[in-house]
Amino acid sequence: MRSICKIIVGLIAAVPLAAITLPISARAEQLKKIAILPKTLVNDVFQIRIVQAAEREAKKYGIATESFASRSHAAVEDQINIIETLIARGDFGALIIAAVDSKGLGNVLDKATKAGLYVVLVDSGVEKGDYVTTIATNNKAGAGSGAQFAASLINGKGNVAMLEGEPGGQTAADRKSGFHEGIAKFPEIKLVASINGHWTEPGGLEATEALIAGHKDLDLIFAASDMMGIGARQVLERAAQKAKAAGDNAQAERFKAVKIVGFDGVTEGFKAVKDGNFSGTVAQMPETMGRALWTLLFS
């Protein structure tokens, strides 16, 4: 079954933008230069696409941008240190940040706002901290819809596993809870494992190798990012080849039949659907999120 499960992205503003009403030319002059701080640019296609879209859109307004990145999704101290450095530099008017941690950035975001920066969160929110607005997908609802779609693929029964994103961030937490709660509505579906795939293709490879070592009877894998799902498919293909070479044709066919549902809607995910490697992906369109940042800043 080749189909694309698309969830329309709800772009939500955490704080009303009534105060941002200057004309574009005046706002551009006031903002001076904008710092863009994604979670990481290492093996993260989704974050890279957000940054690229934001940079392209900034050029339309004649605004200079500079991008920075932490080493990984778990590098909270990296993000804090980068923001501290940006505040000290004093040549930025705004900070766009995808928070790697929902709890650890509150103090430094307060400091950035007090220093006069417009702080805009993208992709992931925070529990505490002063900022202007957030643009993000309803990740819990999206993962819940992914669970419904996954259940329909296996007729409401079977063994499923989840590849989670890096713990600590709000996005990973929401996608995990959304899928777990959604799949729990189907009593004949067993969630046999839910493990960290670090959002990346290499992480998906490693996590899926661990999954199939203990669970050779999987029917479906839900990957909280498309890139983890791509890594998962590679492992399943290799496992099928190995089983066939060993003469276990039944197990080879079982590995080949495992369905994968991704999340993000990056180009690689859509290609995986088209090629039959994914049964679907929950699409949130990183380019749309990157472009929408400027609509929020200049509205």
Side-chain angles (χ1 to χ4, degrees), residues 126-176:
V126 295
E127 293 182 7
K128 296 181 180 179
D130 194 4
Y131 54 92
V132 177
T133 193
T134 302
I135 178 169
T137 303
N138 187 329
N139 286 290
K140 186 170 183 177
S145 294
Q148 294 282 332
F149 180 66
S152 72
L153 290 171
I154 57 176
N155 298 316
K157 59 183 178 181
N159 296 320
V160 304
M162 180 179 184
L163 300 182
E164 306 168 14
E166 198 74 50
Q170 194 63 50
T171 299
D174 287 347
R175 292 186 189 180
K176 179 180 178 179

Coordinates of all heavy atoms in Angstrom, one line a residue, residues 126-176:
V126 N 9.6 25.6 25.1 CA 10.3 25.4 26.4 C 9.2 25.6 27.5 O 8.2 26.2 27.2 CB 11.4 26.5 26.6 CG1 12.5 26.2 25.6 CG2 10.9 27.9 26.4
E127 N 9.4 25.1 28.6 CA 8.5 25.2 29.7 C 8.5 26.6 30.4 O 7.5 27.1 30.9 CB 8.7 24.1 30.8 CG 8.4 22.7 30.2 CD 8.6 21.6 31.3 OE1 8.9 22.0 32.5 OE2 8.6 20.4 30.9
K128 N 9.8 27.1 30.5 CA 9.9 28.4 31.1 C 10.9 29.3 30.2 O 11.7 28.8 29.5 CB 10.5 28.3 32.5 CG 9.6 27.6 33.5 CD 10.3 27.5 34.8 CE 9.4 26.8 35.8 NZ 10.0 26.6 37.2
G129 N 10.7 30.6 30.4 CA 11.6 31.5 29.6 C 10.8 32.5 28.9 O 9.7 32.3 28.6
D130 N 11.4 33.7 28.7 CA 10.8 34.8 28.1 C 11.1 34.8 26.6 O 12.2 34.8 26.2 CB 11.3 36.1 28.7 CG 10.4 37.3 28.3 OD1 9.4 37.1 27.7 OD2 10.7 38.4 28.7
Y131 N 10.0 34.8 25.8 CA 10.2 34.8 24.3 C 8.9 35.4 23.7 O 7.9 35.6 24.3 CB 10.4 33.4 23.8 CG 9.4 32.4 24.2 CD1 8.3 32.1 23.4 CD2 9.5 31.7 25.4 CE1 7.3 31.2 23.7 CE2 8.5 30.8 25.7 CZ 7.5 30.5 24.9 OH 6.5 29.6 25.3
V132 N 9.0 35.7 22.4 CA 7.9 36.4 21.7 C 6.9 35.4 21.3 O 5.7 35.6 21.5 CB 8.4 37.2 20.5 CG1 7.3 37.8 19.7 CG2 9.4 38.2 20.9
T133 N 7.3 34.3 20.6 CA 6.3 33.4 20.1 C 6.9 32.1 19.7 O 8.2 32.0 19.7 CB 5.6 34.0 18.8 OG1 4.4 33.2 18.5 CG2 6.5 34.0 17.6
T134 N 6.1 31.1 19.4 CA 6.6 29.8 19.0 C 5.9 29.4 17.7 O 4.7 29.6 17.6 CB 6.3 28.7 20.1 OG1 6.9 29.1 21.3 CG2 6.8 27.3 19.7
I135 N 6.7 28.8 16.8 CA 6.0 28.2 15.6 C 6.4 26.8 15.6 O 7.6 26.4 15.6 CB 6.5 28.9 14.3 CG1 5.9 28.3 13.1 CG2 8.0 29.0 14.2 CD1 6.1 29.0 11.8
A136 N 5.4 25.9 15.7 CA 5.7 24.5 15.9 C 4.5 23.7 15.4 O 3.3 24.1 15.4 CB 6.0 24.2 17.3
T137 N 4.8 22.4 15.1 CA 3.7 21.4 14.8 C 3.1 21.0 16.1 O 3.7 20.9 17.1 CB 4.4 20.2 14.1 OG1 5.0 20.7 12.9 CG2 3.3 19.2 13.7
N138 N 1.8 20.6 16.0 CA 1.2 19.9 17.2 C 1.7 18.4 17.1 O 1.1 17.6 16.5 CB -0.3 19.9 17.1 CG -1.0 19.4 18.3 OD1 -0.5 18.5 19.0 ND2 -2.2 19.9 18.6
N139 N 2.9 18.2 17.7 CA 3.6 16.9 17.5 C 2.8 15.8 18.2 O 2.8 14.6 17.7 CB 5.0 17.0 18.1 CG 5.9 17.8 17.3 OD1 6.3 17.4 16.2 ND2 6.3 19.0 17.7
K140 N 2.1 16.0 19.3 CA 1.4 14.9 19.9 C 0.2 14.5 19.0 O 0.0 13.3 18.8 CB 0.9 15.4 21.3 CG 0.2 14.3 22.1 CD -0.1 14.7 23.5 CE -0.6 13.5 24.3 NZ -0.9 13.8 25.7
A141 N -0.5 15.5 18.5 CA -1.6 15.1 17.6 C -1.1 14.4 16.3 O -1.8 13.5 15.8 CB -2.4 16.4 17.3
G142 N 0.0 14.9 15.8 CA 0.5 14.3 14.6 C 0.9 12.9 14.8 O 0.6 12.0 14.0
A143 N 1.6 12.6 15.9 CA 2.0 11.2 16.2 C 0.8 10.4 16.5 O 0.8 9.2 16.2 CB 2.9 11.2 17.4
G144 N -0.3 11.0 17.1 CA -1.5 10.2 17.4 C -2.1 9.8 16.1 O -2.6 8.7 15.9
S145 N -2.1 10.7 15.1 CA -2.7 10.4 13.8 C -1.8 9.4 13.1 O -2.3 8.5 12.4 CB -2.7 11.7 12.9 OG -3.7 12.6 13.4
G146 N -0.5 9.4 13.3 CA 0.4 8.4 12.8 C 0.1 7.1 13.4 O 0.1 6.0 12.7
A147 N -0.3 7.0 14.6 CA -0.7 5.7 15.3 C -1.9 5.2 14.6 O -2.0 4.0 14.4 CB -0.8 5.9 16.8
Q148 N -2.9 6.0 14.4 CA -4.1 5.6 13.8 C -3.9 5.0 12.4 O -4.4 4.0 12.0 CB -5.1 6.8 13.6 CG -5.6 7.3 15.0 CD -6.7 6.5 15.6 OE1 -7.4 5.8 14.8 NE2 -6.8 6.5 16.9
F149 N -3.0 5.7 11.6 CA -2.7 5.2 10.3 C -1.9 3.9 10.4 O -2.2 3.0 9.6 CB -1.8 6.3 9.6 CG -1.4 5.9 8.2 CD1 -2.4 5.8 7.2 CD2 -0.1 5.8 7.9 CE1 -2.0 5.5 5.9 CE2 0.3 5.4 6.6 CZ -0.7 5.3 5.6
A150 N -1.0 3.8 11.3 CA -0.2 2.6 11.5 C -1.1 1.4 11.8 O -1.0 0.3 11.2 CB 0.8 2.8 12.6
A151 N -2.1 1.6 12.7 CA -3.0 0.6 13.0 C -3.8 0.1 11.8 O -4.1 -1.1 11.7 CB -3.9 1.1 14.1
S152 N -4.2 1.0 11.0 CA -5.0 0.7 9.8 C -4.1 -0.2 8.8 O -4.7 -1.0 8.1 CB -5.5 1.9 9.1 OG -4.4 2.6 8.4
L153 N -2.8 0.0 8.8 CA -2.0 -0.7 7.9 C -1.9 -2.2 8.3 O -1.7 -3.0 7.4 CB -0.6 -0.1 7.9 CG -0.4 1.3 7.2 CD1 1.0 1.8 7.5 CD2 -0.6 1.2 5.7
I154 N -2.0 -2.5 9.6 CA -1.8 -3.9 10.0 C -3.2 -4.4 10.6 O -3.2 -5.4 11.3 CB -0.7 -4.0 11.1 CG1 -1.0 -3.1 12.3 CG2 0.6 -3.7 10.5 CD1 0.0 -3.2 13.4
N155 N -4.3 -3.8 10.1 CA -5.6 -4.2 10.4 C -5.9 -4.4 11.9 O -6.6 -5.3 12.4 CB -5.9 -5.6 9.8 CG -5.8 -5.5 8.2 OD1 -6.4 -4.5 7.7 ND2 -5.1 -6.4 7.6
G156 N -5.3 -3.4 12.7 CA -5.6 -3.3 14.1 C -5.0 -4.4 15.0 O -5.4 -4.6 16.2
K157 N -4.0 -5.2 14.5 CA -3.4 -6.2 15.3 C -2.0 -6.5 14.9 O -1.6 -6.4 13.7 CB -4.2 -7.5 15.4 CG -4.4 -8.1 14.0 CD -5.3 -9.3 14.1 CE -5.6 -10.0 12.7 NZ -6.5 -11.1 12.8
G158 N -1.1 -6.9 15.8 CA 0.3 -7.2 15.5 C 1.3 -6.5 16.4 O 0.9 -6.0 17.5
N159 N 2.5 -6.6 16.1 CA 3.6 -6.1 16.9 C 4.2 -4.9 16.3 O 4.7 -4.9 15.1 CB 4.7 -7.2 17.1 CG 4.2 -8.4 17.8 OD1 3.4 -8.3 18.8 ND2 4.6 -9.6 17.4
V160 N 4.3 -3.8 17.1 CA 4.9 -2.6 16.5 C 6.0 -2.1 17.5 O 6.0 -2.4 18.7 CB 3.8 -1.5 16.4 CG1 2.7 -1.9 15.5 CG2 3.3 -1.0 17.7
A161 N 6.9 -1.3 16.9 CA 7.9 -0.6 17.7 C 8.0 0.8 17.3 O 7.6 1.2 16.2 CB 9.3 -1.4 17.5
M162 N 8.6 1.6 18.2 CA 8.8 3.0 17.9 C 10.3 3.4 18.0 O 11.0 3.0 19.0 CB 8.0 3.9 18.9 CG 8.1 5.4 18.6 SD 7.2 6.4 19.7 CE 7.5 8.1 19.0
L163 N 10.7 4.2 17.1 CA 12.0 4.8 17.2 C 11.8 6.3 17.6 O 11.2 7.1 16.9 CB 12.7 4.8 15.8 CG 13.0 3.5 15.2 CD1 13.8 3.6 13.9 CD2 13.8 2.6 16.2
E164 N 12.2 6.6 18.9 CA 12.0 7.9 19.5 C 13.1 8.9 19.1 O 14.2 8.5 18.7 CB 12.0 7.8 21.0 CG 11.0 6.8 21.5 CD 11.3 6.5 23.0 OE1 12.0 7.3 23.7 OE2 10.8 5.5 23.5
G165 N 12.8 10.2 19.3 CA 13.8 11.2 19.2 C 14.6 11.4 20.5 O 14.3 10.7 21.5
E166 N 15.6 12.2 20.4 CA 16.4 12.4 21.6 C 15.6 12.9 22.8 O 14.9 13.9 22.7 CB 17.5 13.5 21.3 CG 18.7 13.5 22.2 CD 19.6 12.3 22.0 OE1 20.0 12.1 20.8 OE2 19.9 11.7 23.0
P167 N 15.7 12.2 23.9 CA 14.9 12.7 25.1 C 15.4 14.0 25.6 O 16.5 14.4 25.5 CB 15.2 11.6 26.1 CG 16.5 11.0 25.7 CD 16.5 11.1 24.2
G168 N 14.5 14.7 26.3 CA 14.8 16.0 26.8 C 14.1 17.2 26.1 O 13.6 18.1 26.8
G169 N 14.0 17.1 24.8 CA 13.2 18.1 24.0 C 11.7 17.8 24.0 O 11.3 16.7 24.1
Q170 N 11.0 18.9 23.9 CA 9.5 18.8 23.9 C 9.0 18.0 22.7 O 8.0 17.3 22.8 CB 8.9 20.2 23.9 CG 7.4 20.2 24.2 CD 7.1 19.6 25.6 OE1 7.7 20.0 26.6 NE2 6.2 18.7 25.7
T171 N 9.7 18.2 21.5 CA 9.2 17.5 20.3 C 9.3 16.0 20.5 O 8.3 15.3 20.2 CB 10.1 17.9 19.1 OG1 10.0 19.3 18.9 CG2 9.7 17.1 17.8
A172 N 10.4 15.5 21.0 CA 10.5 14.0 21.2 C 9.5 13.5 22.2 O 8.8 12.5 22.0 CB 11.9 13.7 21.7
A173 N 9.3 14.3 23.3 CA 8.3 13.9 24.3 C 6.9 13.8 23.8 O 6.1 12.9 24.0 CB 8.4 14.8 25.5
D174 N 6.5 14.8 23.0 CA 5.2 14.9 22.4 C 4.9 13.8 21.4 O 3.8 13.2 21.4 CB 4.9 16.2 21.8 CG 4.7 17.3 22.8 OD1 4.6 17.0 24.0 OD2 4.8 18.5 22.5
R175 N 5.9 13.5 20.6 CA 5.7 12.4 19.6 C 5.7 11.1 20.2 O 4.9 10.2 19.8 CB 6.8 12.5 18.5 CG 6.7 13.7 17.7 CD 7.8 13.7 16.5 NE 7.8 15.0 15.9 CZ 8.5 15.4 14.9 NH1 9.4 14.5 14.4 NH2 8.5 16.6 14.3
K176 N 6.4 10.9 21.3 CA 6.4 9.6 22.0 C 5.0 9.4 22.7 O 4.4 8.4 22.5 CB 7.5 9.6 23.1 CG 7.5 8.3 23.9 CD 8.6 8.3 24.9 CE 8.6 7.0 25.7 NZ 9.7 7.0 26.7

